[in-house]
């Protein structure tokens, strides 16, 4: 039986049209206006609104009914289902997917324990296995084993949005701006953590390169680069500064925009790299 892969829009898959893939949107609210991520709110428009707004937007998990509709469509097409969701430690999306899956033995829900491009590469791995006609249960089991190898390392350009979201104090943000502090962020056990801090963009990019080099990247598995905001200039600078890392792939790297789930907290100008670590 063919397998349909279902994920949520926190995976930032907006430019990847695949017949075996369904993306269920989260909601993003700016004040009283509620949008559906990737449906009536593009990543570009999100950052335009983010810069214009005095208050941070809020994100909402898809309702169980939204997942149920996606399951119904897959089952009507005679397909099994594997669902890959945003980390359960960041959102109730996983819970919604599980509620909708109750009583459906052919639906298997996997908590990615990741977000944005980290979730994306796990979805891409799922699609690769689905194309090999592997059963849904085997795909889900493989993803649960592989998710612990997903690494996401990001460099934020500003502390302003962490301050606005209440994650750091105004005093720390002020000192950070004065010293041009660039935090290096990662996903650890499904949660966002600060791995380190660097003074200035160049030192931040160097620290990002060093962290990637210290790990063993499995180049035979999906990987992705991403950026927040309206321009990929900082990401291109990072790639150029670390050309030996990418060998012959510099002109053909998988680059995508990062949307509101992480962009709300990072603001524009963040860059990120997601990959599977070798055993």
């Amino acid at each position: 039986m063919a397998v349909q892969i279902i994920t949520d829009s926190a995976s930032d898959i907006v430019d990847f049209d695949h017949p075996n893939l369904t993306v269920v949107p989260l909601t993003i609210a700016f004040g009283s206006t509620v949008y559906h991520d990737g449906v009536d709110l593009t990543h570009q428009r999100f950052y335009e609104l983010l810069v214009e707004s005095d208050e941070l937007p809020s994100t909402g998990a898809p309702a169980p009914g939204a997942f149920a509709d996606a399951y119904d469509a897959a089952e009507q097409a005679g397909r099994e289902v594997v669902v890959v969701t945003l980390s359960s430690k960041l959102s109730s999306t996983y819970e919604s997917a599980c509620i909708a899956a109750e009583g459906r033995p052919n639906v298997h829900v996997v908590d990615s324990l990741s977000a944005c491009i980290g979730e994306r590469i796990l979805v891409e791995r799922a699609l690769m296995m689905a194309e090999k006609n592997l059963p849904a249960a085997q795909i889900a089991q493989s993803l649960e084993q592989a998710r612990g190898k997903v690494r996401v390392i990001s460099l934020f350009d500003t502390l302003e949005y962490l301050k606005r979201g209440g994650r750091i104090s105004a005093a720390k943000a002020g000192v950070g701006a004065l010293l041009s502090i660039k935090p290096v962020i990662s996903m650890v056990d499904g949660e966002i953590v600060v791995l380190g801090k660097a003074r200035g963009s160049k030192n931040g990019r160097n620290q990002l390169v060093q962290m990637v080099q210290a790990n063993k990247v499995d180049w035979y598995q999906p990987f992705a680069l991403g950026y927040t905001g309206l321009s990929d200039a900082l990401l291109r600078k990072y790639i150029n500064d670390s050309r030996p890392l990418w060998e012959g792939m510099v002109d053909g790297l998988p680059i995508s925009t990062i949307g509101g789930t992480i962009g709300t907290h990072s603001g524009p100008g963040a860059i990120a790299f997601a990959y599977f670590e070798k055993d």
Side-chain angles (χ1 to χ4, degrees), residues 35 64 93 98 104 114 122 149 153-154 160 195 202-203 211 231-232 254:
Y35 300 92
T93 300
C98 289
R104 299 176 188 256
S114 194
L122 202 64
K149 300 175 184 177
I153 303 177
S154 178
E160 172 64 21
L195 291 183
K202 183 176 181 179
N203 288 334
M211 287 184 173
S231 170
D232 65 352

Side-chain angles (χ1 to χ4, degrees), residues 85-246:
T85 74
L86 172 64
S87 171
S88 61
K89 297 182 180 180
L90 299 178
S91 167
S92 60
T93 300
Y94 172 73
E95 182 181 4
S96 288
C98 289
I99 291 172
E102 291 178 359
R104 299 176 188 256
N106 289 329
V107 176
H108 306 265
V109 184
V110 178
D111 181 354
S112 74
L113 294 178
S114 194
C116 65
I117 57 175
E119 182 182 353
R120 178 188 180 118
I121 64 173
L122 202 64
V123 171
E124 291 181 6
R125 182 183 174 111
L127 287 169
M128 291 168 61
M129 289 186 285
E131 289 173 357
K132 295 179 180 178
N133 296 317
L134 297 177
Q138 184 177 344
I139 294 173
Q141 182 180 28
S142 176
L143 295 179
E144 289 174 346
Q145 294 172 345
R147 67 187 175 187
K149 300 175 184 177
V150 173
R151 301 289 179 262
V152 183
I153 303 177
S154 178
L155 178 68
F156 284 16
D157 189 51
T158 176
L159 298 171
E160 172 64 21
Y161 292 86
L162 290 174
K163 180 197 75 175
R164 289 171 61 180
R167 293 179 178 264
I168 63 171
S169 68
K172 286 184 177 180
V175 171
L178 184 65
L179 298 178
S180 190
I181 296 296
K182 310 296 182 183
V184 180
I185 309 293
S186 184
M187 294 288 300
V188 177
D189 294 329
E191 298 182 294
I192 299 172
V193 299
V194 178
L195 291 183
K197 299 175 182 177
R199 291 188 64 176
S201 295
K202 183 176 181 179
N203 288 334
R205 291 194 300 272
N206 289 340
Q207 187 167 337
L208 197 60
V209 171
Q210 291 166 7
M211 287 184 173
V212 172
Q213 290 175 329
N215 290 290
K216 298 178 180 179
V217 180
D218 187 347
W219 296 111
Y220 294 99
Q221 294 295 328
F223 65 94
L225 289 150
Y227 66 94
T228 66
L230 301 176
S231 170
D232 65 352
L234 290 175
L235 178 59
R236 292 294 178 183
K237 179 65 175 171
Y238 165 66
I239 293 171
N240 288 331
D241 288 348
S242 55
R243 288 182 76 92
L245 182 65
W246 314 109

